[in-house]
Amino acid sequence: EQARAWTDYLARSCFMLQQGRAVADVLWYYGEDNNVTGLYSHSFPDIPQGYNFDFASPEVILKELRVKDGKLCTKSGMQYSVLCLDPNATRMSPEISERIEYFKSRGVRVCGYVGEETAAVLAEAGVTPDWIYSGTDSLNFVHRTLPDAEIYWISSPVSQRRTAEVSFRVSGLKPYLWHPVTGAMEEVSYRFVDGRTSLSLDFEPHDAYFIVFRGKTDVNSYEKPSVRTTVLSDLSDGWTVSFRSPFGEEKSMHLDELRLWNESPDPWVRYFSGTASYKKTITLPECSGSLILDLGEVKNLAQVYIDGQEVATLWKTPFKTDITDYINGQTVELEVKVTNLWVNRLIGDSRLKKSERKTYVPASFYGPEDELLPSGMAGPVRLVCGNNPYPTQTTSADRMCR
């Protein structure tokens, strides 16, 4: 049951990444006397930032490619503006050499063995970067194109929040931000500049979402109304916490203030791995907008219930959810089930005699000297009133893209 939120996220992401066809400007031919894994198992070719690429084998060069309007095309519809030759392709068979010369004669731009830089050849071909970003040092992109829409998956692979200015090689279509965690879609501020679309995007730690361009528009810029939030109350104290281990042991305690399990003076709690239930009765303050429950710091997964009804399963930052639609009165029973990783139980058992241990693993990845991982709910837990800051409208991905 706890995996459902994660698998839904994967399903939504996979669905979006199967729409249309991939966009890659560079085709990288890696040669005949080695395989691509042997050459690039640890690093990729030095492709200029803002472009994607695909690898090409000798079979692809000989049998799968045709030329149309100076571009290399495949039977599946892929189009490449530049063919790059890997240093491993310096020596080639007569068949491959003849095929590449044929491509060149039909207007395909080829770089590599004549010493031309890929970026220079792309610029010469008039191919601008598919994406350009500033304000951060690392973003990952995947671009899919449809007849009437463009889809960009963007990943921020760092553990800090950050904001980036991103320019896309798209113009004349309205951009939307689509959240694979919830399926919700929202408008974003944008500007059309020199045939491109510029956005300012915020990323949570290890965040990933989609920017979808669909629907023609002649509005050159749009500013989304600002988000306004007000903290209504702090719920960080007065919790009753009930632990139940996978081995059937149970323990309950009252917390005047939240603290992580790994910091507990009680070894049973300190080494606990499993699910604990946090409960308290709360009186709801007045809120004229959306009522947001913000759990603060959680390690590692939280299931939120209002009066016994499941609201959401939260497995990544921010651990926030809109509870507006689940409120039926002024006073409600709030429950948060928190599940941590198995690591602390393994470390705790490694500090016991073998006869006293409750777990068994074929290989010991953790020992008595290892530090315990943060576990539990540290908060602060707050109720926040906002003007719909966290979109909850679930929109079918296929309906949005068609």
Side-chain angles (χ1 to χ4, degrees):
E1 70 184 287
Q2 293 172 333
R4 177 63 185 269
W6 165 245
T7 56
D8 282 351
Y9 164 81
L10 294 179
R12 295 186 188 106
S13 297
C14 289
F15 178 88
M16 293 291 282
L17 291 171
Q18 293 176 55
Q19 301 305 300
R21 62 172 175 82
V23 175
D25 296 303
V26 177
L27 187 63
W28 191 274
Y29 173 57
Y30 57 82
E32 298 170 85
D33 61 351
N34 210 329
N35 60 60
V36 67
T37 306
L39 292 169
Y40 290 106
S41 59
H42 300 295
S43 63
F44 284 141
D46 187 19
I47 302 295
Q49 182 175 293
Y51 300 93
N52 258 337
F53 75 98
D54 283 332
F55 285 113
S57 66
E59 183 178 11
V60 168
I61 296 293
L62 293 173
K63 299 180 180 180
E64 297 296 326
L65 297 176
R66 59 185 177 87
V67 181
K68 182 179 180 181
D69 300 328
K71 292 185 178 183
L72 290 173
C73 304
T74 67
K75 299 174 184 178
S76 64
M78 291 294 298
Q79 298 181 9
Y80 304 95
S81 298
V82 172
L83 173 64
C84 284
L85 305 180
D86 190 269
N88 186 65
T90 304
R91 296 183 178 182
M92 59 185 70
S93 64
E95 294 82 3
I96 292 290
S97 178
E98 291 174 7
R99 188 64 172 163
I100 291 176
E101 288 301 319
Y102 167 75
F103 293 154
K104 293 174 66 177
S105 71
R106 295 291 303 277
V108 175
R109 289 172 169 80
V110 180
C111 66
Y113 63 85
V114 294
E116 294 174 297
E117 293 291 335
T118 307
V121 176
L122 286 163
E124 179 185 307
V127 182
T128 60
D130 197 7
W131 61 83
I132 302 170
Y133 63 86
S134 61
T136 182
D137 57 355
S138 177
L139 289 177
N140 299 319
F141 292 78
V142 174
H143 181 189
R144 307 285 298 186
T145 185
L146 291 83
D148 60 351
E150 304 294 330
I151 299 175
Y152 287 83
W153 174 83
I154 311 174
S155 166
S156 176
V158 298
S159 57
Q160 297 83 32
R161 292 181 176 85
R162 53 187 181 172
T163 298
E165 302 296 322
V166 185
S167 171
F168 299 89
R169 195 174 61 198
V170 179
S171 187
L173 297 176
K174 188 171 182 178
Y176 298 86
L177 193 156
W178 189 72
H179 300 268
V181 173
T182 62
M185 181 176 64
E186 62 177 308
E187 294 182 328
V188 291
S189 302
Y190 69 88
R191 291 178 296 113
F192 293 154
V193 181
D194 297 330
R196 304 179 66 91
T197 304
S198 295
L199 308 178
S200 180
L201 299 175
D202 296 323
F203 296 92
E204 295 291 335
H206 298 290
D207 208 358
Y209 50 68
F210 293 86
I211 297 296
V212 178
F213 294 87
R214 63 186 296 269
K216 293 183 179 180
T217 179
D218 56 4
V219 179
N220 289 327
S221 65
Y222 168 75
E223 190 69 26
K224 182 183 175 182
S226 61
V227 173
R228 299 182 303 275
T229 59
T230 303
V231 177
L232 300 178
S233 58
D234 192 310
L235 308 178
S236 300
D237 59 356
W239 291 89
T240 298
V241 186
S242 301
F243 296 84
R244 181 179 175 82
S245 80
F247 312 105
E249 303 164 313
E250 298 183 6
K251 178 172 287 193
S252 295
M253 63 179 64
H254 180 81
L255 294 180
D256 291 328
E257 60 180 6
L258 291 172
R259 62 173 178 268
L260 294 173
W261 306 342
N262 54 294
E263 298 173 353
S264 172
D266 184 344
W268 194 94
V269 175
R270 193 161 61 246
Y271 301 132
F272 177 82
S273 288
T275 300
S277 171
Y278 292 72
K279 288 184 178 182
K280 70 179 302 180
T281 301
I282 61 173
T283 299
L284 300 173
E286 291 293 329
C287 174
S288 58
S290 297
L291 188 59
I292 309 300
L293 176 65
D294 181 354
L295 300 180
E297 180 185 359
V298 174
K299 298 293 183 179
N300 295 87
L301 180 147
Q303 296 166 280
V304 178
Y305 297 82
I306 300 289
D307 290 332
Q309 183 179 4
E310 185 171 7
V311 176
T313 298
L314 308 174
W315 54 271
K316 66 180 292 297
T317 54
F319 287 87
K320 303 176 182 179
T321 186
D322 190 331
I323 62 173
T324 308
D325 294 338
Y326 298 86
I327 303 303
N328 295 315
Q330 192 68 25
T331 301
V332 298
E333 182 74 19
L334 173 61
E335 180 181 12
V336 181
K337 294 181 179 180
V338 176
T339 303
N340 69 336
L341 302 178
W342 195 233
V343 175
N344 289 357
R345 178 71 268 164
L346 296 177
I347 294 175
D349 274 10
S350 71
R351 298 172 181 177
L352 301 175
K353 298 177 182 178
K354 287 187 177 182
S355 60
E356 299 174 346
R357 297 177 183 176
K358 293 181 170 22
T359 60
Y360 167 80
V361 289
S364 298
F365 296 100
Y366 300 95
E369 71 286 350
D370 289 315
E371 289 188 20
L372 298 175
L373 298 185
S375 296
M377 184 166 68
V381 179
R382 301 178 298 179
L383 283 176
V384 179
C385 185
N387 57 336
N388 296 315
Y390 309 106
T392 57
Q393 175 191 357
T394 300
T395 303
S396 172
D398 59 345
R399 189 171 81 244
M400 184 183 67
C401 294
R402 291 176 183 171

